[in-house]
Each structure stands twice: as structure tokens, then as C-alpha cells.
Amino acid sequence: MKRFWNPFLSSLTPYVPGEQPRLEGLIKLNTNENPYPPSAKAIEAMRKAADDSLRLYPDPSTTALRRALAHSYRLKPEEIFVGNGSDEVLAFLFQALMGQPGGCAYPAISYSFYPVYCQLYGIDTKPFELSDDFSIDLAKVSHEAGSLILPNPNAPTGIALPVEAILEHARQHPQRLVVVDEAYVDFGAASCLPFINELDNLMVVQTLSKSRALAGLRVGFAFASPDLIEALERVKNSFNSYTVDRVAMAGAIAAIEDEAWFEANRAQVMKSRKTLSDALQNIGFEVLDSKANFLFVRHRSHDAAKLAQGLRQKNILDRHFAKAGIDQFLRISIGDEDQCQALILALQILISAEAA
Ligand SMILES: *Cc1c(COP(=O)(O)O)cnc(C)c1O
């Protein structure tokens, strides 16, 4: 027995992150990291920030970063919260806001961290099924639900919901807090961000991890009306005043300001997504319509777990979820052009070997 554990710990089921092995030559397409290096300006800003000033605590209010975000997203700084990755932002917002009477609704096939936070904070869960085509239908949200969270585009399907559908839901349910997790929105979906002024029950969460190629930096954001943001500040300041360090703050500001890098990077990822999607369809895969930096695919005649295992033996990692309804799918992050080609080649070999 773990004799010093607080009782609730034994019943927790923590989130399982994708593997992060350090193998030479590994083609890592399993955790939706950006295959390209981050903005050179961001790296330069972080080098500069790694100086004598590190003896001082960072600004607990992340003022300069919130100002930079306010400028480029046309918001007020008091409509912005910054955290140590959007996972931390989500943790704070579940603790601060998602425990509304009626419980928390989320798509049953979605980011699997949501039910973990619900369990951690004792929040009732109200998962709702996807439609047969794997899209989200907000008419399926339980009438009682006091809060709703959904990724848009959804993970792991990559399918985006039109902003209008989300706004209409938020307008029809003013008593329900609606949180849109836009971790992948920059790869071709529309954002709900312009509507947080109009709707005081709408919150948008974003991250630098995917579309700014800074997963290692750990910076994420929430955008909402000031009283929702203040709720997150209260939890943060009851937990750790300094969640965003000086180096991260400098890198994040430079990354946000480097529009040219951002536009070129996302255009490249979207172009590779199209090429990869076509190539996968040519070798017998069904490919869901992705607006994210990954594809969710299943083969007409080959078992997904076996394909994932075969790829692993060829030093290529993707993500397979052994979960009812999606266990014949592989989630493949969009790599650079060489990685995408290597993946197609490996799949061609696996498919023909198994068929023979
Ligand atoms: C990657 C991801 C996150 C977490 O991003 P971090 O900012 O790296 O913590 C949150 N939500 C979804 C849906 C994601 O895919």
C-alpha cells in the first residue's frame, strides 16, 4: 500500500501522453508536434533572455506577453490568460469554472484529458456520441449540462465544426459555459475568438505547441470576458504565481510577432496534409477531412493495430487508440516532406507484404 497517499489518489486514472522516445532516426508522427523548427526570431529572443536577469522572478501577470497577444488578436489584455501550456490552462479552467450544476459535456471521442480533469476535480461528466460520420452534432449535448468543452478542430478526428454552429449553441444556451479548445485551429479552421466580446459564456483556448512549433516551451492561452479570465487568475495565484518563466515569455512574444514564419509554416503543413491525404487514399485508406496538423485514417482491409506495429518496426511512430469506435483508425501527424514520403513507402510495403 502507498501508505502516505491521500485517499482519492488510488482511484485516479491519469492521462497517458503519447510516447516521447529518444531514438536515432525515429520518424515521430505520434504527438502532433510541428515537424519544422520554430521561428528563428523566437529562438534568438530566448537566447537573449537566458542572461543575468534569470536570478529574478518573472512577471507573475505576464503583462508583456498579454500585451503582444492583445495587439495581434485585437483584444484587451484583461481578456487574456497565459499558462504553462494549454493543458495547464485547461486544468485551471476545469477547477475554476467547469463544475457547473448539471455536469460537463464533451464529445465521447475527443481529447482524453477532459474526463481526467473532471475526475480530478469531482465534476460530473456528460459525454455525447459523435455522429456516424465522426462529426460533432451539438444537438446531442445533454440538456442538463452546465458546461461544454470541445476541441475545434476535434482531436483525434481532425474534423472542424463551423464557427456558426458553436456560436448558435452558445447563444441558445446563455446559462452554459462553452469552451472551445483551438489547439489546431491555425491549420485551416475558423476561430471563435472574434466572438468572446459578444458572448460572455464563451471561452477560447489556444497553444503555441502546434502551430508555432513550440511544444517544448509550454505556453498556452485562454481568451474570454474579463470575469472568466479573473477566475483563472484566482486559481493560478492559489497554486503557483510563476507558471510562465522569463525565457518562455521572451520566446512566446517573439513567436507571436513573427507573422511571416507563422503564415509560411501553416501553409506548408496544410500543403503536406493534402499531399499525404491523396497518397494515403491511393493506397486504400479512408481519410477523414482534417483541418488539423494530423490525419485520422483507416484502411479498407488492414487492421490498424497491426499497421501501427509494423510502422513501429520500421522506426515510424503514429498513434493508435484501442478504443471502441475508433480502434481501426491511425492518427498520423503531418511530418515534413521526407517523413511523409517515408511513411507512404513503409505503408505500401506493409500492405503488400500482408496481402501476399
Ligand atoms: C495538444 C493539445 C493540447 C495541449 O497543448 P499544450 O499547450 O501543449 O499543453 C490541448 N488540447 C488539445 C485538443 C490538444 O491536442
Side-chain angles (χ1 to χ4, degrees):
M1 274 310 286
K2 321 279 187 193
R3 51 193 280 259
F4 293 114
W5 285 20
N6 284 343
F8 80 101
L9 261 190
S10 323
S11 60
L12 276 189
T13 315
Y15 175 74
V16 183
E19 293 171 81
Q20 298 291 351
R22 313 254 174 270
L23 291 176
E24 199 58 39
L26 181 71
I27 298 183
K28 196 174 171 303
L29 305 175
N30 67 328
T31 53
N32 300 340
E33 287 138 329
N34 199 303
Y36 299 103
S39 152
K41 290 177 181 166
I43 293 180
E44 182 55 26
M46 291 186 268
R47 286 220 171 87
K48 278 207 184 113
D51 67 4
D52 295 357
S53 70
L54 284 177
R55 70 189 180 78
L56 301 169
Y57 283 108
D59 170 13
S61 311
T62 61
T63 311
L65 175 52
R66 282 165 52 236
R67 228 179 256 145
L69 284 163
H71 180 77
S72 77
Y73 289 76
R74 291 174 217 287
L75 298 169
K76 302 190 200 85
E78 58 272 25
E79 294 170 322
I80 303 169
F81 177 82
V82 183
N84 190 260
S86 60
D87 284 340
E88 185 187 73
V89 174
L90 292 170
F92 291 164
L93 89 85
F94 271 83
Q95 188 168 27
L97 299 163
M98 298 304 267
Q100 305 292 325
C104 173
Y106 52 83
I109 291 171
S110 180
Y111 191 37
S112 46
F113 225 135
Y114 305 148
V116 174
Y117 294 127
C118 287
Q119 195 191 26
L120 179 62
Y121 299 121
I123 297 168
D124 284 342
T125 57
K126 291 268 169 13
F128 57 98
E129 297 301 321
L130 296 186
S131 302
D132 290 342
D133 63 359
F134 298 95
S135 65
I136 289 174
D137 176 2
L138 293 178
K140 295 188 176 177
V141 174
S142 154
H143 292 297
E144 296 118 63
S147 60
L148 163 68
I149 184 163
L150 72 155
N152 196 41
N154 194 14
T157 64
I159 297 173
L161 201 55
V163 159
E164 263 317 313
I166 300 171
L167 298 179
E168 192 185 298
H169 185 88
R171 287 186 190 118
Q172 280 172 356
H173 301 275
Q175 305 310 323
R176 179 177 292 158
L177 179 65
V178 176
V179 179
V180 189
D181 181 349
E182 295 189 339
Y184 301 104
V185 77
D186 297 322
F187 299 108
S191 174
C192 286
L193 205 45
F195 303 95
I196 59 158
N197 284 311
E198 176 201 334
L199 290 161
D200 65 4
N201 61 329
L202 178 67
M203 180 177 271
V204 171
V205 177
Q206 292 190 1
T207 175
L208 296 188
S209 294
K210 278 82 182 218
S211 58
R212 306 277 175 167
L214 288 168
L217 197 65
R218 312 308 304 133
V219 179
F221 314 111
F223 306 99
S225 64
D227 68 319
L228 291 175
I229 294 303
E230 192 188 330
L232 301 183
E233 289 289 344
R234 284 180 79 103
V235 171
K236 188 208 80 162
N237 289 324
S238 307
F239 172 79
N240 173 6
S241 308
Y242 307 108
T243 55
V244 181
D245 64 70
R246 284 176 170 271
V247 176
M249 195 115 72
I253 293 169
I256 292 296
E257 289 174 346
D258 196 347
E259 284 284 325
W261 180 95
F262 175 66
E263 292 301 335
N265 178 271
R266 63 198 195 117
Q268 176 62 54
V269 171
M270 288 188 273
K271 181 169 161 237
S272 300
R273 179 177 68 206
K274 173 79 174 94
T275 311
L276 184 60
S277 169
D278 290 347
L280 287 165
Q281 282 171 280
N282 282 339
I283 57 172
F285 281 93
E286 177 194 353
V287 181
L288 299 192
D289 179 24
S290 171
K291 294 283 185 284
N293 68 339
F294 57 84
L295 294 173
F296 204 48
V297 307
R298 68 178 156 190
H299 198 274
R300 276 192 252 107
S301 50
H302 289 269
D303 180 67
K306 274 194 205 149
L307 286 176
Q309 191 52 38
L311 286 174
R312 170 181 293 268
Q313 278 161 6
K314 296 180 185 301
N315 240 4
I316 301 176
L317 279 193
D318 63 0
R319 193 101 193 247
H320 172 251
F321 299 91
K323 182 173 174 166
I326 56 168
D327 61 352
Q328 283 311 312
F329 280 88
L330 299 175
R331 193 194 68 188
I332 303 169
S333 311
I334 309 297
D336 65 21
E337 282 171 1
D338 290 348
Q339 292 173 323
C340 290
Q341 269 176 21
L343 171 80
I344 290 295
L345 196 63
L347 283 171
Q348 273 170 336
I349 293 169
L350 288 171
I351 286 168
S352 51
E354 230 188 88

